[in-house]
Amino acid sequence: MGSTEPAEVPHYDRNKELKAFDATKTGVKGVVDSGIEKIPRIFVRTQDEFTEDLSYTVVSGDQFQLPVVDLQDIDCRRKEIIDEIRRATMTWGFFQLVNHGIPISVTNEMIEGTRRFHEGDIEVKKQLYVRDLSTIVHYDSNFDLYQSRSANWKDTFRCRLLNPDPIDPQLIPSTCRDIIVEYWKHIVNLGNTLAELFSEALGLSKDHLKGMDCTKYLTLAAHYAPACPEPELTMGSTKHSDQSFFTILLNDDIPGLQVLHQNHWVNVKPIHGALTINVGDIMQILSNDKYKSSQHRVVANHVGPRISVACFYRASVEKPTLLYPIKELVSESNPAVYKEITFKEFVEYSHSRRPDGVSTLDHFKV
């Protein structure tokens, strides 16, 4: 671990370097474009982070494989598909989805639209660069830049597509506006289908989760991770779970996503055109721990850029949205695992704490 020594040099003023990086408003791509051969110290993981990694092993190959759910002929195969989703969400919290109804031309163009934005006019990006996550459309690098132990090797463009009113498309940059509007239409349809399947897999009516507004608030995050000269020293995205009902993720063909399963980091093999679906923290609360919101991360890579687009179905921070286990899933023999809280309380507590490897969910258990 000798390569992490620069982080302990006495004259290293981390806060000053973070502010200098932030002030460029050009993100990780700006760092790479400057011609660096070694990554700046703000991206080098701390000794604590490397030590925590020793608790897990990384596996690939056939030992563990993420479940794949096929939505082909959903009308005829609905019960079979619901059973597959139930198994996947209760054991992994993740699955890959094929034959989901979004044309390959649309998923390919969504990846290219993300590339166009991140590789486009720097001045356009600078105008959108803010640290305020409540902004409808914004671009940043590391939303938690000043709280994290080490910065992640990625830049992100975000837009709040439903809040619950739809976004004005004119707010979206022209480089990716048309494809985001097109992709959004498909994601809304798929989100409604998944919400029904998740409800039925819990033994509830198909409209139960939609009735709890789980498809009302939708945020798109388009990530761009340039090739990294020292990928072993940093991460594309550190270990986390999502603060969502569920997340729909589109990846390009560069691997990097890892899911924590049975104390192993499992490499997710990209399937071209497939989507990766995962349960978020809110869904784990609502399901009274039946569904699992799994920790996941993205490793940095010598090749790139690696492009991914995450669509998060979340609750509202602005409204006092209450979260608690669904009453139909609670009984004397299966009591509520979580207290009644608001989504705002959940997010504020989550953002207030230093990363320590402990799930935010544990704080809200009864």
Side-chain angles (χ1 to χ4, degrees):
M1 299 300 170
S3 7
T4 62
E5 281 174 14
E8 284 128 40
V9 172
H11 302 299
Y12 170 48
D13 186 339
R14 179 173 178 78
N15 210 44
K16 184 178 176 183
E17 294 205 13
L18 288 171
K19 285 178 177 173
F21 168 73
D22 209 13
T24 67
K25 300 186 176 183
T26 58
V28 177
K29 186 172 189 306
V31 170
V32 171
D33 289 347
S34 70
I36 54 123
E37 290 180 11
K38 290 190 170 296
I39 65 172
R41 283 172 289 188
I42 61 170
F43 294 98
V44 176
R45 300 172 77 205
T46 63
Q47 195 66 50
D48 284 351
E49 290 174 280
F50 282 114
T51 303
E52 284 165 20
D53 268 2
L54 300 176
S55 308
Y56 312 106
T57 53
V58 177
V59 295
S60 50
D62 299 331
Q63 188 180 353
F64 290 108
Q65 286 190 342
L66 207 64
V68 177
V69 174
D70 187 344
L71 287 192
Q72 186 81 44
D73 301 325
I74 187 171
D75 293 338
C76 309
R77 296 178 51 246
R78 193 173 186 94
K79 184 181 181 305
E80 181 188 335
I81 290 168
I82 288 167
D83 288 343
E84 288 175 3
I85 286 177
R86 183 185 298 114
R87 279 195 298 275
T89 48
M90 289 182 178
T91 55
W92 283 82
F94 266 81
F95 56 91
Q96 286 179 291
L97 194 65
V98 296
N99 292 314
H100 43 66
I102 305 181
I104 197 83
S105 58
V106 174
T107 53
N108 286 348
E109 176 58 14
M110 188 63 244
I111 294 290
E112 287 309 307
T114 300
R115 184 193 304 276
R116 282 194 302 273
F117 171 79
H118 285 284
E119 295 179 358
D121 189 327
I122 289 173
E123 294 310 314
V124 169
K125 292 200 292 182
K126 282 183 175 181
Q127 285 169 19
L128 294 172
Y129 192 95
V130 292
R131 288 255 148 244
D132 181 2
L133 286 177
S134 68
T135 314
I136 293 173
V137 174
H138 66 272
Y139 152 72
D140 68 29
S141 185
N142 289 264
F143 75 90
D144 58 351
L145 185 67
Y146 296 98
Q147 289 79 41
S148 62
R149 293 181 287 183
S150 58
N152 288 169
W153 194 258
K154 73 171 179 196
D155 301 326
T156 302
F157 166 73
R158 288 185 192 80
C159 45
R160 299 171 82 172
L161 298 176
L162 294 171
N163 192 43
D165 296 322
I167 192 174
D168 174 359
Q170 292 308 308
L171 295 174
I172 302 171
S174 59
T175 46
C176 52
R177 181 185 303 141
D178 290 349
I179 185 54
I180 284 180
V181 170
E182 176 67 18
Y183 188 63
W184 172 20
K185 290 176 195 166
H186 291 285
I187 287 295
V188 166
N189 289 334
L190 180 58
N192 285 327
T193 299
L194 285 169
E196 291 180 357
L197 294 169
F198 283 137
S199 287
E200 290 176 272
L202 286 169
L204 305 167
S205 71
K206 70 176 186 178
D207 293 324
H208 197 110
L209 288 171
K210 281 197 283 187
M212 299 180 78
D213 294 343
C214 87
T215 55
K216 223 171 177 177
Y217 298 86
L218 175 63
T219 299
L220 177 143
H223 304 302
Y224 182 95
C228 181
E230 297 179 294
E232 67 284 355
L233 296 183
T234 188
M235 292 297 291
S237 184
T238 43
K239 181 174 76 167
H240 66 284
S241 57
D242 292 348
Q243 297 170 348
S244 60
F245 286 101
F246 59 92
T247 304
I248 302 174
L249 179 70
L250 168 66
N251 273 337
D252 65 9
D253 295 330
I254 297 176
L257 177 63
Q258 295 181 333
V259 176
L260 191 58
H261 180 68
Q262 296 180 12
N263 238 35
H264 299 289
W265 283 116
V266 179
N267 289 307
V268 178
K269 294 178 185 172
I271 301 173
H272 189 67
L275 297 167
T276 303
I277 313 297
N278 67 280
V279 166
D281 291 341
I282 308 178
M283 191 77 92
Q284 182 165 332
I285 291 172
L286 297 185
S287 72
N288 204 33
D289 269 359
K290 282 184 183 294
Y291 286 168
K292 184 180 179 185
S293 176
S294 289
Q295 302 268 3
H296 50 287
R297 67 181 188 179
V298 178
V299 295
N301 209 310
H302 273 300
V303 296
R306 182 181 185 276
I307 293 171
S308 60
V309 181
C311 288
F312 301 99
Y313 279 102
R314 286 191 169 130
S316 169
V317 176
E318 288 85 6
K319 295 184 177 179
T321 309
L322 283 174
L323 307 178
Y324 49 87
I326 294 167
K327 66 179 190 309
E328 286 87 346
L329 304 178
V330 174
S331 65
E332 208 171 305
S333 59
N334 189 39
V337 178
Y338 298 97
K339 306 167 192 169
E340 185 178 280
I341 55 165
T342 66
F343 182 59
K344 185 177 182 183
E345 285 173 328
F346 182 82
V347 171
E348 285 178 350
Y349 173 73
S350 177
H351 288 179
S352 71
R353 58 197 288 262
R354 297 284 290 177
D356 56 8
V358 178
S359 169
T360 301
L361 288 167
D362 289 352
H363 180 72
F364 296 105
K365 287 190 170 177
V366 173

